[in-house]
Amino acid sequence: MAASMRPLLRRAIRYSHRNISVASAGVAGRSGCCRGPSTCRCFSDVAGDRSTHFGFETVPESEKAKKVYKVFENVAQKYDTMNDAMSLGIHRLWKDILLHVMHPQPGAQLLDVAGGTGDIAFRFLDYVRAQQERQKRRAARSMQTPSWADISNSYSSGDAVGPQESRAVVCDINKEMLRVGKQKADSMGISAGLSWVTGDAEELPFDDDLFDVYTIAFGIRNVTHIDQALQEALRVLKPGGRFMCLEFSKVTNPVLSRLYDEYSFKMIPVLGEVIAGDWKSYQYLVESIRKFPDQEEFQHMIEDAGFYCVKYHNFTGGVVALHSGFKL
Amino acid sequence: MAALLRGLRAGRALRGLSRVVGAPAAATPHSGLRGFHRAALRLQDESKSDKPPSSSSSSYHEHYQAHHEQDGAEAPRGDPTSDPAAEEASRPNTSFQDQGGEQDEEYETEEQLQARVLAAALDFVPLHGWSTEAIAAAAETLGLSSASTGMFDNGAGDLVLHFIAQCNSQLTEILAEQHNQVQLGQAEAKRTADFLRDAVETRLRMHIPYIQSWPQAMSILLLPHNIPDGLKHLSNLVDDMWYYAGDRSTDMNWYTKRAALTGIYNTTELVMLQDSSPDFQDTWNFLDNRIQDVVNMAATAKQAQATGETVVQGLMGAAVTLKNLTGLNQRR
């Protein structure tokens, strides 16, 4: 075991030395298309093709979506395990807090974009079910001695389900992630009120004014055109609907920031290689976090898209930020 | 922030229609009319649009405005149950929604929308209590999704504070109106005790529609994060009552008077919670007695002070007489 680990670690250290330098974007010859950007850049300026960032690399916009797809296709099977390992399980707390801040009312319709393995959707359904139980219990307590009118009413309303049942739709561009999510749902026995849809966040396959809550957890930094994704979110939300985005963000405290950077660039790709056998994907992950705009800038982007009452909360010192806006 | 004060347009005709069609809004979430709404907001009249909303955050603003705008205060400002449906139906439905159109632009800030939602939520309090469910139900009647309750970080606390601010501003208007009447000579000035008694009764009568759930509201106000706001509203209320009763004291009396009235108001409120007499007659009797107590105490204090002075003078006289008798006063 130790013997096989040593060459692994040696390769790991070699990679880490190359990739720590922030300034040298795209120098590491990790992926084949790295040679591409330099030539593509010349052609792209001439041809008018725009380029964007893929981690610290620069790639043509048309390519980014494909590369992101590859990344998540590779990591899908071990996605949840890696999440637990990288964040030491804290990601569960972040997602729980997201649900508590959301405080969905019974009957709410959720759209979870880039929902992949369905963490948010499962929590949403649990929360709403618990709320409905609580409401039923409260109603039952107040009706300990029902009158004849109440009893006859309860007989006649047996067919009516009552207010609309809450539903969660998980939408992801990556079929592998959805497949893993469906397996999880089957193993947990959750099937009612849950649907899995393949779709692109920049072009959602839904009608206008459908959903009460739109969430995107740790997905929006992978989207090529964030403003398009925000506009799509605005479109599919009902008036009064809420947009919530959980995403890695800038750490404000300098000491914590230093520790976080060290941890991100030194530990996470190593964990990726050891647990999931994929160094490059997790290198992309930590780089894409650095490329994402900070809390204030993202708040302005959300406001520009047309949302109101936009606020953000920092979790774990700014490692993760929850942005929330309303379609009014 | 200027960015926050944005224009929100909504089609009048379609709103009017949707109000008729989609009144049980929760049951018709897919009504096609909803799709036309760029923002399912009811637009305010021009007379309302420049009035500050009666939300807890602006209660200080209103408190001082009340003193300055006694004649300018229009009734709808503090109107709690202004039915949006009624005011919609009364306006002529002339324009269709036009996102790029310039005609009939009416704007509403986020605070005004929040105030409207809270005002509508008061109707649902008897059913759902002071809770986010009431706010969610109100949001749905206004055409907003139930997720918009997220706008209110404090949830039920926001609702209770809004109601209290509204009641206080209503009381201030009534007191200002009475003051005007007295100034114009159309009514007689009341004695202080009677004035305060009537003011407290008027204010407490505003709780009657919600008296079943008022204990819940009081307990919400006692939550630690709500205590500062609750105390602020209470102190403003008591200050207003004394101001219109004619108090202009600038010494210790300012504090003692307000402390006394706060005590009277709080205890009467508590008595009202468990009062089952017709029209809360027991409560008003209790209020009478408490006010009488305070009046008596004030009179007694004055008497005691006068008596004390007299006694001291008498004692001084007796001492001088004694000294004279014993010959100590002679100067040899």
Side-chain angles (χ1 to χ4, degrees), chain A residues 103 105 108 131 135 138 164 209-210 212-213 238-242 303-304 306-309 311 326-328, chain B residues 1 6-8 29-30 34-35 38-40 110 113-114 132-133 136 143-148 150-151 153:
Chain A
H103 194 51
Q105 300 294 318
Q131 276 222 312
Q135 273 188 351
R138 207 184 306 150
Q164 213 171 0
D209 296 349
L210 271 188
D212 290 296
V213 187
K238 286 186 199 167
R242 190 171 195 181
E303 282 177 357
D304 286 340
F307 289 97
Y308 295 94
C309 292
K311 289 186 283 225
F326 291 90
K327 172 178 178 175
L328 293 177
Chain B
M1 199 146 103
R6 300 225 199 144
L8 304 166
H30 302 300
R34 187 78 84 67
R38 160 75 173 80
E110 290 161 15
L113 173 66
Q114 289 181 355
T132 33
E133 280 90 10
L144 298 175
S145 142
S146 62
S148 56
M151 278 197 292
D153 293 330

Side-chain angles (χ1 to χ4, degrees), chain A residues 14-168:
Chain A
R14 215 174 48 215
Y15 277 122
S16 75
H17 280 320
R18 250 191 251 163
N19 292 329
I20 278 298
S21 57
V22 171
S24 56
V27 165
R30 299 186 323 266
S31 58
C33 108
C34 264
R35 257 171 290 122
S38 50
T39 50
C40 274
R41 217 175 293 130
C42 310
F43 285 127
S44 71
D45 288 336
V46 172
D49 205 17
R50 295 221 311 270
S51 59
T52 182
H53 53 81
F54 177 75
F56 289 149
E57 291 174 42
T58 309
V59 300
E61 276 185 353
S62 43
E63 294 232 350
K64 172 159 180 176
K66 269 182 280 184
K67 290 171 76 71
V68 170
Y69 194 96
K70 281 283 308 285
V71 163
F72 282 95
E73 203 176 29
N74 292 340
V75 307
Q77 289 297 325
K78 289 286 184 20
Y79 186 72
D80 290 320
T81 320
M82 275 303 298
N83 277 349
D84 276 333
M86 287 190 293
S87 67
L88 308 173
I90 303 180
H91 75 105
R92 296 163 190 258
L93 295 179
W94 293 329
K95 290 170 184 164
D96 286 339
I97 299 179
L98 169 65
L99 256 298
H100 277 285
V101 172
M102 190 197 302
H103 194 51
Q105 300 294 318
Q109 313 285 310
L110 171 79
L111 173 63
D112 184 19
V113 175
T117 50
D119 276 341
I120 306 288
F122 297 147
R123 282 175 171 76
F124 172 82
L125 290 172
D126 280 340
Y127 196 101
V128 176
R129 300 262 156 83
Q131 276 222 312
Q132 277 174 332
E133 291 289 306
R134 211 178 303 139
Q135 273 188 351
K136 258 184 265 176
R137 239 180 292 138
R138 207 184 306 150
R141 217 180 304 140
S142 67
M143 284 204 1
Q144 290 289 334
T145 55
S147 67
W148 284 117
D150 292 331
I151 296 177
S152 66
N153 280 345
S154 68
Y155 284 149
S156 62
S157 68
D159 53 331
V161 171
Q164 213 171 0
E165 284 293 316
S166 43
R167 269 181 41 235

Side-chain angles (χ1 to χ4, degrees), chain B residues 35-299:
Chain B
F36 282 120
H37 288 179
R38 160 75 173 80
L41 293 170
R42 309 294 172 260
L43 304 174
Q44 306 270 6
D45 281 336
E46 288 78 19
S47 60
K48 279 192 196 182
S49 60
D50 51 333
K51 291 227 169 47
S54 54
S55 62
S56 58
S57 59
S58 58
S59 62
Y60 262 140
H61 189 51
E62 279 186 3
H63 174 68
Y64 289 112
Q65 269 208 341
H67 293 312
H68 300 300
E69 290 182 4
Q70 287 171 13
D71 47 346
E74 218 178 82
R77 184 181 71 163
D79 191 352
T81 52
S82 67
D83 190 9
E87 71 190 30
E88 291 312 297
S90 64
R91 264 196 294 219
N93 299 326
T94 51
S95 65
F96 283 86
Q97 192 220 356
D98 182 359
Q99 292 223 17
E102 303 307 306
Q103 54 153 350
D104 287 346
E105 287 180 7
E106 296 180 48
Y107 295 84
E108 184 177 58
T109 66
E110 290 161 15
E111 287 84 14
Q112 284 173 333
L113 173 66
Q114 289 181 355
R116 269 202 308 130
V117 172
L118 291 178
L122 290 175
D123 293 332
F124 292 91
V125 165
L127 179 58
H128 293 291
W130 301 89
S131 63
T132 33
E133 280 90 10
I135 304 180
E140 284 183 354
T141 58
L142 288 183
L144 298 175
S145 142
S146 62
S148 56
T149 57
M151 278 197 292
F152 305 103
D153 293 330
N154 207 358
D158 277 338
L159 184 55
V160 176
L161 290 170
H162 172 266
F163 174 66
I164 287 185
Q166 189 179 274
C167 289
N168 288 355
S169 61
Q170 268 184 318
L171 179 72
T172 314
E173 281 170 19
I174 293 173
L175 293 181
E177 186 54 42
Q178 287 178 359
H179 186 76
N180 275 351
Q181 298 258 318
V182 168
Q183 299 284 63
L184 295 174
Q186 288 171 3
E188 291 186 3
K190 290 188 246 187
R191 284 183 351 181
T192 308
D194 290 336
F195 181 90
L196 290 176
R197 186 213 172 283
D198 288 338
V200 173
E201 181 183 340
T202 311
R203 177 60 180 82
L204 286 176
R205 277 190 184 274
M206 297 180 197
H207 292 168
I208 291 181
Y210 306 102
I211 198 69
Q212 290 298 323
S213 52
W214 195 246
Q216 184 191 11
M218 289 182 75
S219 64
I220 289 173
L221 281 179
L222 283 175
L223 289 173
H225 52 266
N226 287 330
I227 287 179
D229 287 325
L231 283 180
K232 187 178 70 174
H233 284 294
L234 180 61
S235 62
N236 286 347
L237 170 72
V238 169
D239 192 28
D240 276 342
M241 285 198 216
W242 267 116
Y243 178 82
Y244 284 107
D247 175 47
R248 299 288 182 274
S249 54
T250 50
D251 53 357
M252 201 57 186
N253 279 332
W254 193 92
Y255 294 97
T256 54
K257 283 179 173 172
R258 276 147 188 78
L261 188 55
T262 306
I264 294 174
Y265 177 82
N266 281 339
T267 48
T268 315
E269 194 181 8
L270 284 172
V271 166
M272 196 169 160
L273 287 182
Q274 45 79 51
D275 186 8
S276 52
S277 61
D279 195 34
F280 299 92
Q281 206 46 50
D282 286 348
T283 310
W284 313 136
N285 292 342
F286 177 88
L287 176 60
D288 282 336
N289 292 340
R290 297 290 77 70
I291 299 245
Q292 209 47 49
D293 284 347
V294 171
V295 167
N296 288 347
M297 240 182 5

